[in-house]
Amino acid sequence: MSLPRLVIAAPSSGSGKTTVATGLMAAFAARGLAVSPHKVGPDYIDPGYHALATGRVGRNLDAYLCGPELIAPLFAHGAQGCDLAVVEGVMGLYDGAAGQGELASTAQVAKLLRAPVVLVVDASSQSRSVAALVHGFASWDTGVRIGGVILNKVASDRHEALLREALEESGVPVLGVLRRAAQVETPSRHLGLVPVAERGAAAVAAVAAMGAQVSAGCDLDALMGLARSAGALPGGGWSPAEALSPPSHDHPSRSAERRTPGAGPLPETASGPGGPSVAHDHPSRSAERRGDDGNAARRRPVVAVAGGPAFTFSYAEHAELLDAAGAEVVTFDPLRDERLPDGTRGLVIGGGFPEVYAGELGANESLRKEIAELALGGAPVAAECAGLLYLCRELDGTPMCGVLDASARMSERLTLGYRDAVAVGDSVLAVAGTRMRGHEFHRTVLEPGAGPAPAWGIVAPARRVEGFVQQGVHASYLHTHWASEPGVARRFTERCRTS
């Protein structure tokens, strides 16, 4: 694969990566190019802005969640048919998973993609020192090729001249200079930027402003020339159908060997290491309500996926895997829709901000009741983070679906980081012993934090159990990427056919 591509990185968070990356995507798209947007790491919010800039789904490249071996194939899959790919980095260029060296860093992804790096530098409060900063980043790892610098937050023409003069000695070209611009600023709150889905026209205007600023301040022709210098990528793109084809994907041994060797025994649970089985036959009343007529096994089961402003966190590959596994994926909005899609046989509720919309979610009583009936009838339900909260009895005193006998509340403490996990027992997602990697990112507390049959045993960084498995429900704080274990989608879809 010889697609032109750039990785947009920075010395640290807050330097302006999202503004520059999104602006570049919008600027090149305005030139008529098909731009493929990507984000290093687990972040769900930035890809929403990328999608708005390009008209294509924003995709994540996370070497911790998926493994380094899947970075290039997932990139090629997302970039199919495009003229250019722009990859926004995470944190500082060399920052990755804590204590894991370069793993999951922007630098590692740039090397895996054989892509040149554009370093975005916050130039406020410095002049000649910028050359030392850039030199340090360019020389730290010779496997990373920094092909240019974009100077951000430049105060004046005089400031720009001083910066350019200093960087002449570094040998790294200046490919753009951006001044401070209030119109490109994006509001933040307790978990980062406010998602696109919540901002509407304001998000559209902000992305347009980013594109205009980058077009005016950056040498797009030089940046495109740098992108074309990227080395060819060997191998082909990831395919959800091919990923599902090997039957061994549903077996725990493959992931155990690849993920966390020597992790030791599982954390103890009240239900024992195997946990309860969740493959059940269910009452005919639930089958009738879901539209069964005896031919369900021959049809594509409808899997309802929560969307809308309250549930914006989802990896595109999850829906693609469900579709390839034979499901009919239908999106619904728990804020607006009073019923689940017709014929729903399974439910996926990803992450988002139910705490922001608790009042509206609680007020949609008819949908809450239908979800509870579906779950308590044994249908497969996969819930992550926000979905976990939505299934609880209450969130900050507001009634939720009541599927789980647990209460959730907001907290001042941020829970954040990668996790190594193992399935404690069988569930609609995995067989006992399946190892996966995930990511936690929330400011809520759940009481209790785990049910009698937990969803996961966390083996790193600290050993504990968390989440709930009951009947067909698998609910957890952990965000996982199903491309790392495609058998999750196949197993879930099969349960939808047979439950």
PDB file of all heavy atoms in Angstrom, residues 310-311 334-337 353-369 371 389-390 392-402:
ATOM      1  N   ALA A 310     -26.106  10.942  23.825  1.00  0.00           N
ATOM      2  CA  ALA A 310     -25.754  10.333  25.112  1.00  0.00           C
ATOM      3  C   ALA A 310     -24.812   9.147  24.973  1.00  0.00           C
ATOM      4  O   ALA A 310     -24.130   8.772  25.928  1.00  0.00           O
ATOM      5  CB  ALA A 310     -27.019   9.901  25.859  1.00  0.00           C
ATOM      6  N   PHE A 311     -24.749   8.545  23.775  1.00  0.00           N
ATOM      7  CA  PHE A 311     -23.943   7.329  23.584  1.00  0.00           C
ATOM      8  C   PHE A 311     -23.144   7.452  22.284  1.00  0.00           C
ATOM      9  O   PHE A 311     -23.490   6.861  21.264  1.00  0.00           O
ATOM     10  CB  PHE A 311     -24.844   6.096  23.556  1.00  0.00           C
ATOM     11  CG  PHE A 311     -25.582   5.863  24.845  1.00  0.00           C
ATOM     12  CD1 PHE A 311     -26.893   6.296  24.990  1.00  0.00           C
ATOM     13  CD2 PHE A 311     -24.967   5.250  25.927  1.00  0.00           C
ATOM     14  CE1 PHE A 311     -27.582   6.103  26.184  1.00  0.00           C
ATOM     15  CE2 PHE A 311     -25.641   5.060  27.123  1.00  0.00           C
ATOM     16  CZ  PHE A 311     -26.953   5.488  27.254  1.00  0.00           C
ATOM     17  N   PRO A 334     -31.522   6.585  22.540  1.00  0.00           N
ATOM     18  CA  PRO A 334     -32.282   6.482  23.791  1.00  0.00           C
ATOM     19  C   PRO A 334     -32.860   7.812  24.286  1.00  0.00           C
ATOM     20  O   PRO A 334     -33.713   7.806  25.178  1.00  0.00           O
ATOM     21  CB  PRO A 334     -31.257   5.937  24.784  1.00  0.00           C
ATOM     22  CG  PRO A 334     -30.278   5.213  23.936  1.00  0.00           C
ATOM     23  CD  PRO A 334     -30.164   6.047  22.702  1.00  0.00           C
ATOM     24  N   LEU A 335     -32.395   8.934  23.753  1.00  0.00           N
ATOM     25  CA  LEU A 335     -32.980  10.222  24.137  1.00  0.00           C
ATOM     26  C   LEU A 335     -34.283  10.507  23.389  1.00  0.00           C
ATOM     27  O   LEU A 335     -35.147  11.212  23.898  1.00  0.00           O
ATOM     28  CB  LEU A 335     -31.989  11.358  23.865  1.00  0.00           C
ATOM     29  CG  LEU A 335     -30.705  11.370  24.699  1.00  0.00           C
ATOM     30  CD1 LEU A 335     -29.838  12.554  24.298  1.00  0.00           C
ATOM     31  CD2 LEU A 335     -31.028  11.429  26.186  1.00  0.00           C
ATOM     32  N   ARG A 336     -34.414   9.961  22.179  1.00  0.00           N
ATOM     33  CA  ARG A 336     -35.571  10.301  21.342  1.00  0.00           C
ATOM     34  C   ARG A 336     -36.514   9.135  21.097  1.00  0.00           C
ATOM     35  O   ARG A 336     -37.723   9.317  21.018  1.00  0.00           O
ATOM     36  CB  ARG A 336     -35.097  10.848  19.990  1.00  0.00           C
ATOM     37  CG  ARG A 336     -34.303  12.148  20.074  1.00  0.00           C
ATOM     38  CD  ARG A 336     -34.026  12.711  18.683  1.00  0.00           C
ATOM     39  NE  ARG A 336     -33.279  11.774  17.854  1.00  0.00           N
ATOM     40  CZ  ARG A 336     -33.797  11.126  16.801  1.00  0.00           C
ATOM     41  NH1 ARG A 336     -35.057  11.304  16.471  1.00  0.00           N
ATOM     42  NH2 ARG A 336     -33.056  10.287  16.089  1.00  0.00           N
ATOM     43  N   ASP A 337     -35.951   7.952  20.919  1.00  0.00           N
ATOM     44  CA  ASP A 337     -36.766   6.804  20.537  1.00  0.00           C
ATOM     45  C   ASP A 337     -37.423   6.182  21.760  1.00  0.00           C
ATOM     46  O   ASP A 337     -36.747   5.847  22.733  1.00  0.00           O
ATOM     47  CB  ASP A 337     -35.913   5.761  19.813  1.00  0.00           C
ATOM     48  CG  ASP A 337     -35.336   6.295  18.513  1.00  0.00           C
ATOM     49  OD1 ASP A 337     -36.031   7.084  17.847  1.00  0.00           O
ATOM     50  OD2 ASP A 337     -34.189   5.941  18.178  1.00  0.00           O
ATOM     51  N   PHE A 353     -22.046   9.807  27.571  1.00  0.00           N
ATOM     52  CA  PHE A 353     -22.250  10.725  28.698  1.00  0.00           C
ATOM     53  C   PHE A 353     -23.688  10.647  29.239  1.00  0.00           C
ATOM     54  O   PHE A 353     -24.443  11.615  29.172  1.00  0.00           O
ATOM     55  CB  PHE A 353     -21.946  12.159  28.262  1.00  0.00           C
ATOM     56  CG  PHE A 353     -20.496  12.398  27.954  1.00  0.00           C
ATOM     57  CD1 PHE A 353     -20.038  12.350  26.653  1.00  0.00           C
ATOM     58  CD2 PHE A 353     -19.589  12.655  28.969  1.00  0.00           C
ATOM     59  CE1 PHE A 353     -18.698  12.571  26.362  1.00  0.00           C
ATOM     60  CE2 PHE A 353     -18.245  12.869  28.686  1.00  0.00           C
ATOM     61  CZ  PHE A 353     -17.806  12.830  27.381  1.00  0.00           C
ATOM     62  N   PRO A 354     -24.076   9.502  29.792  1.00  0.00           N
ATOM     63  CA  PRO A 354     -25.421   9.422  30.367  1.00  0.00           C
ATOM     64  C   PRO A 354     -25.606  10.367  31.547  1.00  0.00           C
ATOM     65  O   PRO A 354     -26.729  10.806  31.833  1.00  0.00           O
ATOM     66  CB  PRO A 354     -25.550   7.961  30.797  1.00  0.00           C
ATOM     67  CG  PRO A 354     -24.135   7.523  31.007  1.00  0.00           C
ATOM     68  CD  PRO A 354     -23.331   8.252  29.974  1.00  0.00           C
ATOM     69  N   GLU A 355     -24.490  10.709  32.230  1.00  0.00           N
ATOM     70  CA  GLU A 355     -24.599  11.629  33.362  1.00  0.00           C
ATOM     71  C   GLU A 355     -25.040  13.019  32.930  1.00  0.00           C
ATOM     72  O   GLU A 355     -25.700  13.747  33.691  1.00  0.00           O
ATOM     73  CB  GLU A 355     -23.263  11.702  34.102  1.00  0.00           C
ATOM     74  CG  GLU A 355     -22.092  12.248  33.302  1.00  0.00           C
ATOM     75  CD  GLU A 355     -21.334  11.195  32.538  1.00  0.00           C
ATOM     76  OE1 GLU A 355     -21.924  10.139  32.231  1.00  0.00           O
ATOM     77  OE2 GLU A 355     -20.145  11.424  32.228  1.00  0.00           O
ATOM     78  N   VAL A 356     -24.705  13.405  31.708  1.00  0.00           N
ATOM     79  CA  VAL A 356     -25.112  14.711  31.187  1.00  0.00           C
ATOM     80  C   VAL A 356     -26.594  14.701  30.805  1.00  0.00           C
ATOM     81  O   VAL A 356     -27.281  15.719  30.893  1.00  0.00           O
ATOM     82  CB  VAL A 356     -24.250  15.096  29.965  1.00  0.00           C
ATOM     83  CG1 VAL A 356     -24.729  16.406  29.330  1.00  0.00           C
ATOM     84  CG2 VAL A 356     -22.781  15.221  30.380  1.00  0.00           C
ATOM     85  N   TYR A 357     -27.082  13.544  30.410  1.00  0.00           N
ATOM     86  CA  TYR A 357     -28.458  13.420  29.917  1.00  0.00           C
ATOM     87  C   TYR A 357     -29.325  12.547  30.820  1.00  0.00           C
ATOM     88  O   TYR A 357     -30.322  11.983  30.378  1.00  0.00           O
ATOM     89  CB  TYR A 357     -28.447  12.832  28.504  1.00  0.00           C
ATOM     90  CG  TYR A 357     -27.769  13.734  27.502  1.00  0.00           C
ATOM     91  CD1 TYR A 357     -26.433  13.534  27.157  1.00  0.00           C
ATOM     92  CD2 TYR A 357     -28.458  14.787  26.908  1.00  0.00           C
ATOM     93  CE1 TYR A 357     -25.803  14.361  26.237  1.00  0.00           C
ATOM     94  CE2 TYR A 357     -27.837  15.614  25.987  1.00  0.00           C
ATOM     95  CZ  TYR A 357     -26.515  15.401  25.660  1.00  0.00           C
ATOM     96  OH  TYR A 357     -25.897  16.233  24.754  1.00  0.00           O
ATOM     97  N   ALA A 358     -28.940  12.428  32.075  1.00  0.00           N
ATOM     98  CA  ALA A 358     -29.655  11.526  32.981  1.00  0.00           C
ATOM     99  C   ALA A 358     -31.141  11.856  33.046  1.00  0.00           C
ATOM    100  O   ALA A 358     -31.987  10.954  33.050  1.00  0.00           O
ATOM    101  CB  ALA A 358     -29.036  11.580  34.374  1.00  0.00           C
ATOM    102  N   GLY A 359     -31.473  13.140  33.110  1.00  0.00           N
ATOM    103  CA  GLY A 359     -32.878  13.527  33.192  1.00  0.00           C
ATOM    104  C   GLY A 359     -33.689  13.049  32.013  1.00  0.00           C
ATOM    105  O   GLY A 359     -34.782  12.468  32.165  1.00  0.00           O
ATOM    106  N   GLU A 360     -33.156  13.258  30.799  1.00  0.00           N
ATOM    107  CA  GLU A 360     -33.872  12.838  29.586  1.00  0.00           C
ATOM    108  C   GLU A 360     -33.947  11.320  29.473  1.00  0.00           C
ATOM    109  O   GLU A 360     -34.975  10.764  29.078  1.00  0.00           O
ATOM    110  CB  GLU A 360     -33.188  13.412  28.343  1.00  0.00           C
ATOM    111  CG  GLU A 360     -33.253  14.921  28.231  1.00  0.00           C
ATOM    112  CD  GLU A 360     -32.027  15.605  28.799  1.00  0.00           C
ATOM    113  OE1 GLU A 360     -31.521  15.153  29.861  1.00  0.00           O
ATOM    114  OE2 GLU A 360     -31.579  16.579  28.186  1.00  0.00           O
ATOM    115  N   LEU A 361     -32.851  10.640  29.832  1.00  0.00           N
ATOM    116  CA  LEU A 361     -32.867   9.182  29.780  1.00  0.00           C
ATOM    117  C   LEU A 361     -33.868   8.611  30.779  1.00  0.00           C
ATOM    118  O   LEU A 361     -34.613   7.672  30.473  1.00  0.00           O
ATOM    119  CB  LEU A 361     -31.472   8.637  30.079  1.00  0.00           C
ATOM    120  CG  LEU A 361     -30.403   8.901  29.021  1.00  0.00           C
ATOM    121  CD1 LEU A 361     -29.022   8.523  29.555  1.00  0.00           C
ATOM    122  CD2 LEU A 361     -30.695   8.131  27.745  1.00  0.00           C
ATOM    123  N   GLY A 362     -33.891   9.202  31.964  1.00  0.00           N
ATOM    124  CA  GLY A 362     -34.842   8.737  32.967  1.00  0.00           C
ATOM    125  C   GLY A 362     -36.281   9.001  32.574  1.00  0.00           C
ATOM    126  O   GLY A 362     -37.179   8.212  32.890  1.00  0.00           O
ATOM    127  N   ALA A 363     -36.506  10.115  31.868  1.00  0.00           N
ATOM    128  CA  ALA A 363     -37.867  10.481  31.467  1.00  0.00           C
ATOM    129  C   ALA A 363     -38.411   9.577  30.366  1.00  0.00           C
ATOM    130  O   ALA A 363     -39.632   9.473  30.196  1.00  0.00           O
ATOM    131  CB  ALA A 363     -37.901  11.938  31.000  1.00  0.00           C
ATOM    132  N   ASN A 364     -37.532   8.908  29.626  1.00  0.00           N
ATOM    133  CA  ASN A 364     -37.974   8.007  28.554  1.00  0.00           C
ATOM    134  C   ASN A 364     -38.327   6.657  29.152  1.00  0.00           C
ATOM    135  O   ASN A 364     -37.649   5.649  28.944  1.00  0.00           O
ATOM    136  CB  ASN A 364     -36.885   7.878  27.492  1.00  0.00           C
ATOM    137  CG  ASN A 364     -37.388   7.230  26.215  1.00  0.00           C
ATOM    138  OD1 ASN A 364     -38.473   6.659  26.162  1.00  0.00           O
ATOM    139  ND2 ASN A 364     -36.577   7.307  25.167  1.00  0.00           N
ATOM    140  N   GLU A 365     -39.406   6.663  29.908  1.00  0.00           N
ATOM    141  CA  GLU A 365     -39.782   5.488  30.695  1.00  0.00           C
ATOM    142  C   GLU A 365     -40.143   4.290  29.832  1.00  0.00           C
ATOM    143  O   GLU A 365     -39.813   3.149  30.158  1.00  0.00           O
ATOM    144  CB  GLU A 365     -40.946   5.837  31.625  1.00  0.00           C
ATOM    145  CG  GLU A 365     -41.296   4.747  32.610  1.00  0.00           C
ATOM    146  CD  GLU A 365     -42.373   5.171  33.593  1.00  0.00           C
ATOM    147  OE1 GLU A 365     -42.773   6.352  33.566  1.00  0.00           O
ATOM    148  OE2 GLU A 365     -42.810   4.322  34.388  1.00  0.00           O
ATOM    149  N   SER A 366     -40.806   4.524  28.716  1.00  0.00           N
ATOM    150  CA  SER A 366     -41.233   3.403  27.876  1.00  0.00           C
ATOM    151  C   SER A 366     -40.027   2.640  27.327  1.00  0.00           C
ATOM    152  O   SER A 366     -40.029   1.406  27.286  1.00  0.00           O
ATOM    153  CB  SER A 366     -42.107   3.901  26.734  1.00  0.00           C
ATOM    154  OG  SER A 366     -41.404   4.827  25.921  1.00  0.00           O
ATOM    155  N   LEU A 367     -38.977   3.353  26.922  1.00  0.00           N
ATOM    156  CA  LEU A 367     -37.783   2.669  26.411  1.00  0.00           C
ATOM    157  C   LEU A 367     -37.059   1.956  27.544  1.00  0.00           C
ATOM    158  O   LEU A 367     -36.591   0.819  27.362  1.00  0.00           O
ATOM    159  CB  LEU A 367     -36.849   3.664  25.730  1.00  0.00           C
ATOM    160  CG  LEU A 367     -35.576   3.050  25.135  1.00  0.00           C
ATOM    161  CD1 LEU A 367     -35.929   2.083  24.007  1.00  0.00           C
ATOM    162  CD2 LEU A 367     -34.620   4.126  24.641  1.00  0.00           C
ATOM    163  N   ARG A 368     -36.973   2.586  28.706  1.00  0.00           N
ATOM    164  CA  ARG A 368     -36.310   1.940  29.836  1.00  0.00           C
ATOM    165  C   ARG A 368     -36.992   0.612  30.168  1.00  0.00           C
ATOM    166  O   ARG A 368     -36.325  -0.396  30.417  1.00  0.00           O
ATOM    167  CB  ARG A 368     -36.311   2.848  31.053  1.00  0.00           C
ATOM    168  CG  ARG A 368     -35.383   4.043  30.949  1.00  0.00           C
ATOM    169  CD  ARG A 368     -35.181   4.726  32.292  1.00  0.00           C
ATOM    170  NE  ARG A 368     -36.374   5.408  32.794  1.00  0.00           N
ATOM    171  CZ  ARG A 368     -37.109   5.016  33.822  1.00  0.00           C
ATOM    172  NH1 ARG A 368     -36.769   3.908  34.490  1.00  0.00           N
ATOM    173  NH2 ARG A 368     -38.155   5.717  34.202  1.00  0.00           N
ATOM    174  N   LYS A 369     -38.296   0.622  30.160  1.00  0.00           N
ATOM    175  CA  LYS A 369     -39.040  -0.602  30.477  1.00  0.00           C
ATOM    176  C   LYS A 369     -38.828  -1.680  29.418  1.00  0.00           C
ATOM    177  O   LYS A 369     -38.691  -2.867  29.741  1.00  0.00           O
ATOM    178  CB  LYS A 369     -40.530  -0.281  30.622  1.00  0.00           C
ATOM    179  CG  LYS A 369     -40.871   0.465  31.902  1.00  0.00           C
ATOM    180  CD  LYS A 369     -42.376   0.684  32.017  1.00  0.00           C
ATOM    181  CE  LYS A 369     -42.722   1.346  33.358  1.00  0.00           C
ATOM    182  NZ  LYS A 369     -44.191   1.589  33.480  1.00  0.00           N
ATOM    183  N   ILE A 371     -36.200  -2.035  27.452  1.00  0.00           N
ATOM    184  CA  ILE A 371     -34.837  -2.561  27.588  1.00  0.00           C
ATOM    185  C   ILE A 371     -34.755  -3.532  28.759  1.00  0.00           C
ATOM    186  O   ILE A 371     -34.131  -4.597  28.662  1.00  0.00           O
ATOM    187  CB  ILE A 371     -33.834  -1.402  27.753  1.00  0.00           C
ATOM    188  CG1 ILE A 371     -33.670  -0.662  26.421  1.00  0.00           C
ATOM    189  CG2 ILE A 371     -32.486  -1.915  28.252  1.00  0.00           C
ATOM    190  CD1 ILE A 371     -32.817   0.581  26.509  1.00  0.00           C
ATOM    191  N   LEU A 389     -23.836   2.133  33.164  1.00  0.00           N
ATOM    192  CA  LEU A 389     -24.585   3.060  34.011  1.00  0.00           C
ATOM    193  C   LEU A 389     -26.064   3.074  33.653  1.00  0.00           C
ATOM    194  O   LEU A 389     -26.930   3.150  34.527  1.00  0.00           O
ATOM    195  CB  LEU A 389     -24.002   4.472  33.872  1.00  0.00           C
ATOM    196  CG  LEU A 389     -22.510   4.655  34.176  1.00  0.00           C
ATOM    197  CD1 LEU A 389     -22.118   6.115  34.019  1.00  0.00           C
ATOM    198  CD2 LEU A 389     -22.171   4.157  35.571  1.00  0.00           C
ATOM    199  N   TYR A 390     -26.348   3.021  32.356  1.00  0.00           N
ATOM    200  CA  TYR A 390     -27.742   3.065  31.887  1.00  0.00           C
ATOM    201  C   TYR A 390     -28.523   1.832  32.344  1.00  0.00           C
ATOM    202  O   TYR A 390     -29.730   1.898  32.576  1.00  0.00           O
ATOM    203  CB  TYR A 390     -27.740   3.180  30.367  1.00  0.00           C
ATOM    204  CG  TYR A 390     -29.084   3.407  29.725  1.00  0.00           C
ATOM    205  CD1 TYR A 390     -29.992   4.330  30.232  1.00  0.00           C
ATOM    206  CD2 TYR A 390     -29.437   2.715  28.563  1.00  0.00           C
ATOM    207  CE1 TYR A 390     -31.228   4.548  29.613  1.00  0.00           C
ATOM    208  CE2 TYR A 390     -30.651   2.929  27.936  1.00  0.00           C
ATOM    209  CZ  TYR A 390     -31.540   3.839  28.461  1.00  0.00           C
ATOM    210  OH  TYR A 390     -32.749   4.059  27.842  1.00  0.00           O
ATOM    211  N   CYS A 392     -28.103   0.345  35.180  1.00  0.00           N
ATOM    212  CA  CYS A 392     -28.208   0.338  36.638  1.00  0.00           C
ATOM    213  C   CYS A 392     -29.604   0.724  37.115  1.00  0.00           C
ATOM    214  O   CYS A 392     -30.460   1.155  36.341  1.00  0.00           O
ATOM    215  CB  CYS A 392     -27.193   1.294  37.240  1.00  0.00           C
ATOM    216  SG  CYS A 392     -25.507   0.680  37.177  1.00  0.00           S
ATOM    217  N   ARG A 393     -29.767   0.593  38.408  1.00  0.00           N
ATOM    218  CA  ARG A 393     -31.035   0.983  39.026  1.00  0.00           C
ATOM    219  C   ARG A 393     -31.234   2.486  38.969  1.00  0.00           C
ATOM    220  O   ARG A 393     -32.332   2.983  38.704  1.00  0.00           O
ATOM    221  CB  ARG A 393     -31.048   0.477  40.476  1.00  0.00           C
ATOM    222  CG  ARG A 393     -32.360   0.638  41.210  1.00  0.00           C
ATOM    223  CD  ARG A 393     -32.297  -0.005  42.584  1.00  0.00           C
ATOM    224  NE  ARG A 393     -31.246   0.581  43.421  1.00  0.00           N
ATOM    225  CZ  ARG A 393     -30.123  -0.051  43.753  1.00  0.00           C
ATOM    226  NH1 ARG A 393     -29.880  -1.273  43.317  1.00  0.00           N
ATOM    227  NH2 ARG A 393     -29.209   0.538  44.513  1.00  0.00           N
ATOM    228  N   GLU A 394     -30.127   3.236  39.215  1.00  0.00           N
ATOM    229  CA  GLU A 394     -30.218   4.690  39.217  1.00  0.00           C
ATOM    230  C   GLU A 394     -28.847   5.296  38.959  1.00  0.00           C
ATOM    231  O   GLU A 394     -27.809   4.671  39.179  1.00  0.00           O
ATOM    232  CB  GLU A 394     -30.758   5.204  40.546  1.00  0.00           C
ATOM    233  CG  GLU A 394     -29.862   4.862  41.733  1.00  0.00           C
ATOM    234  CD  GLU A 394     -30.367   5.447  43.046  1.00  0.00           C
ATOM    235  OE1 GLU A 394     -31.518   5.904  43.092  1.00  0.00           O
ATOM    236  OE2 GLU A 394     -29.578   5.453  44.014  1.00  0.00           O
ATOM    237  N   LEU A 395     -28.860   6.523  38.461  1.00  0.00           N
ATOM    238  CA  LEU A 395     -27.643   7.301  38.246  1.00  0.00           C
ATOM    239  C   LEU A 395     -27.854   8.662  38.894  1.00  0.00           C
ATOM    240  O   LEU A 395     -28.704   9.444  38.462  1.00  0.00           O
ATOM    241  CB  LEU A 395     -27.367   7.455  36.747  1.00  0.00           C
ATOM    242  CG  LEU A 395     -26.247   8.413  36.330  1.00  0.00           C
ATOM    243  CD1 LEU A 395     -24.930   8.035  36.991  1.00  0.00           C
ATOM    244  CD2 LEU A 395     -26.104   8.447  34.812  1.00  0.00           C
ATOM    245  N   ASP A 396     -27.109   8.918  39.961  1.00  0.00           N
ATOM    246  CA  ASP A 396     -27.266  10.157  40.740  1.00  0.00           C
ATOM    247  C   ASP A 396     -28.721  10.399  41.131  1.00  0.00           C
ATOM    248  O   ASP A 396     -29.231  11.525  41.070  1.00  0.00           O
ATOM    249  CB  ASP A 396     -26.725  11.356  39.955  1.00  0.00           C
ATOM    250  CG  ASP A 396     -25.217  11.487  40.081  1.00  0.00           C
ATOM    251  OD1 ASP A 396     -24.665  11.034  41.100  1.00  0.00           O
ATOM    252  OD2 ASP A 396     -24.594  12.043  39.159  1.00  0.00           O
ATOM    253  N   GLY A 397     -29.392   9.316  41.525  1.00  0.00           N
ATOM    254  CA  GLY A 397     -30.766   9.412  41.992  1.00  0.00           C
ATOM    255  C   GLY A 397     -31.813   9.384  40.904  1.00  0.00           C
ATOM    256  O   GLY A 397     -33.012   9.311  41.202  1.00  0.00           O
ATOM    257  N   THR A 398     -31.432   9.433  39.655  1.00  0.00           N
ATOM    258  CA  THR A 398     -32.380   9.382  38.535  1.00  0.00           C
ATOM    259  C   THR A 398     -32.564   7.941  38.105  1.00  0.00           C
ATOM    260  O   THR A 398     -31.583   7.227  37.888  1.00  0.00           O
ATOM    261  CB  THR A 398     -31.871  10.211  37.347  1.00  0.00           C
ATOM    262  OG1 THR A 398     -31.687  11.554  37.754  1.00  0.00           O
ATOM    263  CG2 THR A 398     -32.849  10.160  36.188  1.00  0.00           C
ATOM    264  N   PRO A 399     -33.802   7.477  37.962  1.00  0.00           N
ATOM    265  CA  PRO A 399     -34.014   6.077  37.593  1.00  0.00           C
ATOM    266  C   PRO A 399     -33.492   5.765  36.205  1.00  0.00           C
ATOM    267  O   PRO A 399     -33.690   6.531  35.258  1.00  0.00           O
ATOM    268  CB  PRO A 399     -35.538   5.920  37.656  1.00  0.00           C
ATOM    269  CG  PRO A 399     -36.081   7.305  37.526  1.00  0.00           C
ATOM    270  CD  PRO A 399     -35.073   8.201  38.161  1.00  0.00           C
ATOM    271  N   MET A 400     -32.786   4.641  36.101  1.00  0.00           N
ATOM    272  CA  MET A 400     -32.327   4.135  34.815  1.00  0.00           C
ATOM    273  C   MET A 400     -33.107   2.850  34.495  1.00  0.00           C
ATOM    274  O   MET A 400     -34.226   2.712  34.921  1.00  0.00           O
ATOM    275  CB  MET A 400     -30.814   3.898  34.868  1.00  0.00           C
ATOM    276  CG  MET A 400     -29.985   5.185  35.014  1.00  0.00           C
ATOM    277  SD  MET A 400     -29.945   6.243  33.529  1.00  0.00           S
ATOM    278  CE  MET A 400     -30.884   7.659  34.087  1.00  0.00           C
ATOM    279  N   CYS A 401     -32.513   1.912  33.790  1.00  0.00           N
ATOM    280  CA  CYS A 401     -33.276   0.764  33.305  1.00  0.00           C
ATOM    281  C   CYS A 401     -33.564  -0.283  34.379  1.00  0.00           C
ATOM    282  O   CYS A 401     -34.489  -1.084  34.231  1.00  0.00           O
ATOM    283  CB  CYS A 401     -32.544   0.108  32.133  1.00  0.00           C
ATOM    284  SG  CYS A 401     -32.438   1.151  30.667  1.00  0.00           S
ATOM    285  N   GLY A 402     -32.763  -0.323  35.431  1.00  0.00           N
ATOM    286  CA  GLY A 402     -33.038  -1.252  36.518  1.00  0.00           C
ATOM    287  C   GLY A 402     -32.725  -2.705  36.201  1.00  0.00           C
ATOM    288  O   GLY A 402     -33.205  -3.606  36.891  1.00  0.00           O
TER     289      GLY A 402
END
